[in-house]
Amino acid sequence: MELILGDVPWIVVLIILPLTGGMACFLFPAISKSLGLLTSLAVVACVWGLGWQLEEEGAQRYAIGGWGAPLGIDLYADGLSLLMLVVAALVGLGISVYSCGYFSPDKANHFWPLWLFLCGALNALFLSSDIFNLYVTLELLGLTAVALVALADGAEALTSAMRYLLISLLGSLFYLLGVAFLYHSFGSLDIAILAQRAEPSPAVWAAVGLISTGLLLKTALFPMHFWLPAAHACAPTPVSALLSALVVKASFYILLRMWLEIFPMVGTSFAQLLGLLGAAAVLWGGIQALRQTRLKLLIAYSTVSQLGYLFLAFPLGTSLAWKGALYMLLSHAMAKAAMFMAAGNILVLGGHDRIAELSSITQRLPLTLTAFTLAGISIMGLPPSGGFIAKWLLLQASIESGQWWWGIILILGGLLAAAYVFKVIGHVFTQDEPTRQAGTLPTTMEWSALVLALVAVLLGLFTSWPLAIMEIGSPFGTGHSG
Amino acid sequence: MSYVYLYALLGVSLFVLGLNALIVHAHLLRKILAVNVMSTGVFLVLVALSSRNEEVLPDPVPHAMVITGIVVSVSATALALILMLKVNRATGKNELPDRGRD
């Protein structure tokens, strides 16, 4: 058993499997649902296999086709990649189960291949150690995500998909220009080699600026968040969950990787700028979420706000702060996917998501309501939930490094989150005549939301396991401390 | 300054021109073309910087990157054009509506 598990190149399987699954779904639309579910399950199993391998042997490097790094393209997996893969696999499985009941057969034929391609792009992105390969995966991710948003018919969805596509291409081009400068300066595309050779020069400063701008645009950090709420709110529900939980995190992951490996010489002023933008995102996103009258838009603005927390770790720069940000990423992915699914259930059954008129619908959806509330606990950061642990780690890091003012942002953000979550829950519990129209939801749609929300809360109780994953290969060992 | 940097600077100016057009013009086809001009600029930078000076043969890796980039850019343009047609069919216009709120 050990021999077999240890010998399989899980890194490669994780990329090929979803791509093959996507092709198969495209060729055999009649069984695409079962193929898609099977692939999602298999991806979870492969991530488990890779995790086992990493735990036994430490960080893994795989040279595709046997060509080593300077000429060929390497794949690399350490604790940071593994954590992202685990998030993507678990949320992906939840989304696959949810989508079984959500799409009409006609739409499902388009959804499954695209979703599996997106899953493959995500896995490839988390495993690449080549900055040009990262560009290709970013584009694959962007194109499939845009196509998925456009699955929802209607003028609003199409225009937001179009805007999303233009923004996504713009971000990628900024990134690619930065890659060109980096390659010209150091003659390599491999992150590990770049890390050894990198030294400050005007070309590198330009590259840092361009790459960061491109990635921040894709991560929708304030004030470049303007495209996110419309695109995330108009998409079909499983796609909204995918975009908010996983796709925006992918570009954050690249930024984090570059920051830890190649950009340690950038210095503190840029880190402070990122922290400030993050703080502005937390407050602005929270205030905008409070002002929304439609549930899905409220959740989308909440994503803008929660993404801001991730950037608070940059000015702190300690290993503890990175862990806090990653914990935030992990619990937000689970909670936000659950929230979008709950909103989707309400939308399917009630036909609208106006917050003021929710009570008549939600009285018939106790499971969905529970899922929404549990996810809300994690979003607000109340104990015992993943969101609480994340904020606790960040708070501790901010006090330890003497920059307590970031802690105030954490608390203010939590209060705003509490305000907008309770705004929804308050409307839900008002007494209202239940609507007459009958209708039921597939149980999978309610349960997948509930299970993801439960995971988000349980992350607050079982902290040792995710924290141990982050340690593999010590990805934060070389991080700058500012 | 060798001619290499001249081409690289030309690439950067194409990038900036494209960025300007992307922001200024409202018509979607112009925006899509602007993105294409921008990517051409990036490709020019990549190819130009691949030869460090006149004596040494150019580095082939950036050429491989440009070929990959062209493939990506073609597929992105195809998707953008299809979306533009669908937007036109749904709204009757070739422009994105102004954002009402935010």
Side-chain angles (χ1 to χ4, degrees):
Chain A
M1 175 75 174
E2 290 196 359
L3 257 175
I4 299 169
L5 275 177
D7 282 347
V8 178
W10 294 111
I11 295 188
V12 184
V13 177
L14 267 172
I15 299 172
I16 293 177
L17 186 75
L19 292 182
T20 321
M23 291 294 249
C25 284
F26 186 70
L27 291 175
F28 310 106
I31 50 166
S32 61
K33 195 191 282 183
S34 6
L35 276 174
L37 262 181
L38 202 68
T39 314
S40 292
L41 270 174
V43 166
V44 174
C46 289
V47 170
W48 182 77
L50 181 68
W52 185 86
Q53 216 170 25
L54 287 186
E55 207 187 344
E56 293 289 308
E57 301 163 25
Q60 297 273 314
R61 182 171 280 277
Y62 185 89
I64 298 178
W67 297 91
L71 189 61
I73 298 169
D74 275 3
L75 298 176
Y76 179 72
D78 62 2
L80 180 55
S81 331
L82 181 63
L83 185 83
M84 302 300 292
L85 288 169
V86 169
V87 175
L90 291 181
V91 174
L93 183 62
I95 286 168
S96 289
V97 172
Y98 184 86
S99 309
C100 283
Y102 183 85
F103 285 105
S104 63
D106 171 42
K107 292 275 175 206
N109 291 347
H110 297 289
F111 170 78
W112 287 105
L114 285 170
W115 151 223
L116 290 179
F117 282 138
L118 189 139
C119 174
L122 274 175
N123 286 351
L125 192 149
F126 296 142
L127 290 168
S128 289
S129 84
D130 179 288
I131 53 176
F132 185 74
N133 210 11
L134 282 174
Y135 162 75
V136 176
T137 54
L138 260 182
E139 285 287 37
L140 187 55
L141 190 67
L143 294 183
T144 43
V146 168
L148 281 169
V149 173
L151 272 185
D153 287 323
E156 213 181 339
L158 287 172
T159 50
S160 55
M162 187 75 218
R163 183 173 287 129
Y164 184 23
L165 175 62
L166 290 173
I167 292 293
S168 161
L169 290 176
L170 184 65
S172 305
L173 285 174
F174 268 99
Y175 177 82
L176 187 60
L177 193 58
V179 168
F181 287 165
L182 274 186
Y183 183 77
H184 178 65
S185 304
F186 305 119
S188 176
L189 291 167
D190 190 73
I191 290 181
I193 296 176
L194 282 174
Q196 291 164 5
R197 297 187 188 166
E199 54 192 42
S201 77
V204 176
W205 283 106
V208 170
L210 287 166
I211 289 180
S212 308
T213 312
L215 292 176
L216 292 181
L217 196 60
K218 280 175 171 274
T219 317
L221 178 64
F222 178 87
M224 294 180 272
H225 65 282
F226 52 88
W227 56 270
L228 183 143
H232 285 201
C234 294
T237 300
V239 180
S240 307
L242 259 176
L243 294 177
S244 259
L246 302 177
V247 174
V248 283
K249 311 287 168 51
S251 39
F252 173 78
Y253 163 83
I254 300 182
L255 189 67
L256 181 60
R257 188 58 103 183
M258 296 243 168
W259 192 270
L260 292 171
E261 307 265 355
I262 307 177
F263 299 167
M265 73 289 182
V266 167
T268 50
S269 54
F270 191 50
Q272 294 287 342
L273 175 69
L274 285 183
L276 273 179
L277 290 179
V282 169
L283 300 179
W284 179 253
I287 292 167
Q288 286 294 323
L290 256 180
R291 289 181 50 209
Q292 299 306 314
T293 51
R294 283 180 46 211
L295 186 55
K296 275 185 96 173
L297 269 173
L298 181 145
I299 302 174
Y301 271 106
S302 155
T303 299
V304 172
S305 166
Q306 300 271 316
L307 285 172
Y309 289 122
L310 303 179
F311 289 91
L312 295 184
F314 284 87
L316 302 172
T318 56
S319 160
L320 195 65
W322 296 125
K323 280 181 192 163
L326 284 177
Y327 220 91
M328 177 58 81
L329 189 155
L330 175 67
S331 53
H332 174 252
M334 304 288 172
K336 194 46 66 78
M339 252 189 178
F340 263 122
M341 288 175 184
N345 289 345
I346 292 170
L347 199 60
V348 168
L349 205 61
H352 73 86
D353 65 344
R354 289 184 292 278
I355 296 170
E357 301 160 34
L358 281 186
S359 59
S360 51
I361 311 165
T362 42
Q363 283 173 7
R364 289 184 294 146
L365 291 169
L367 283 178
T368 296
L369 188 58
T370 318
F372 187 89
T373 316
L374 285 176
I377 287 175
S378 184
I379 296 282
M380 287 186 268
L382 292 182
S385 67
F388 170 73
I389 301 292
K391 286 187 181 170
W392 181 255
L393 290 171
L394 280 171
L395 197 63
Q396 211 178 336
S398 74
I399 291 168
E400 269 180 15
S401 63
Q403 304 183 49
W404 48 267
W405 47 91
W406 303 118
I408 297 179
I409 299 292
L410 286 172
I411 293 163
L412 281 177
L415 285 177
L416 278 170
Y420 61 69
V421 170
F422 279 118
K423 175 183 166 185
V424 177
I425 295 177
H427 278 295
V428 164
F429 282 112
T430 45
Q431 281 298 319
D432 209 352
E433 278 296 298
T435 40
R436 299 254 178 270
Q437 81 246 35
T440 49
L441 279 176
T443 43
T444 50
M445 284 170 70
E446 290 210 85
W447 277 100
S448 48
L450 187 62
V451 168
L452 280 179
L454 266 177
V455 172
V457 171
L458 286 178
L459 277 173
L461 299 174
F462 301 96
T463 53
S464 58
W465 186 67
L467 289 177
I469 287 183
M470 293 178 205
E471 285 290 336
I472 299 174
S474 58
F476 314 113
T478 53
H480 88 123
S481 50
Chain B
M1 184 188 272
S2 68
Y3 69 95
V4 166
Y5 286 99
L6 192 70
Y7 285 122
L9 275 179
L10 193 63
V12 173
S13 21
L14 272 180
F15 185 83
V16 175
L17 270 178
L19 181 61
N20 177 56
L22 179 66
I23 296 166
V24 169
H25 292 293
H27 197 287
L28 281 174
L29 190 58
R30 280 175 184 271
K31 279 186 188 287
I32 294 168
L33 287 176
V35 170
N36 273 286
V37 170
M38 283 178 78
S39 50
T40 312
V42 178
F43 298 154
L44 189 56
V45 172
L46 273 168
V47 172
L49 292 182
S50 69
S51 68
R52 274 152 214 273
N53 55 51
E54 277 119 277
E55 285 91 55
V56 188
L57 283 176
D59 182 358
V61 173
H63 293 82
M65 284 157 70
V66 168
I67 292 171
T68 316
I70 289 173
V71 174
V72 170
S73 148
V74 166
S75 23
T77 310
L79 180 63
L81 289 173
I82 285 286
L83 257 182
M84 188 186 88
L85 289 178
K86 285 195 116 184
V87 167
N88 180 285
R89 222 168 282 154
T91 64
K93 277 186 287 188
N94 280 319
E95 294 169 11
L96 292 178
D98 280 339
R99 279 172 294 120
R101 67 187 142 192
D102 185 84

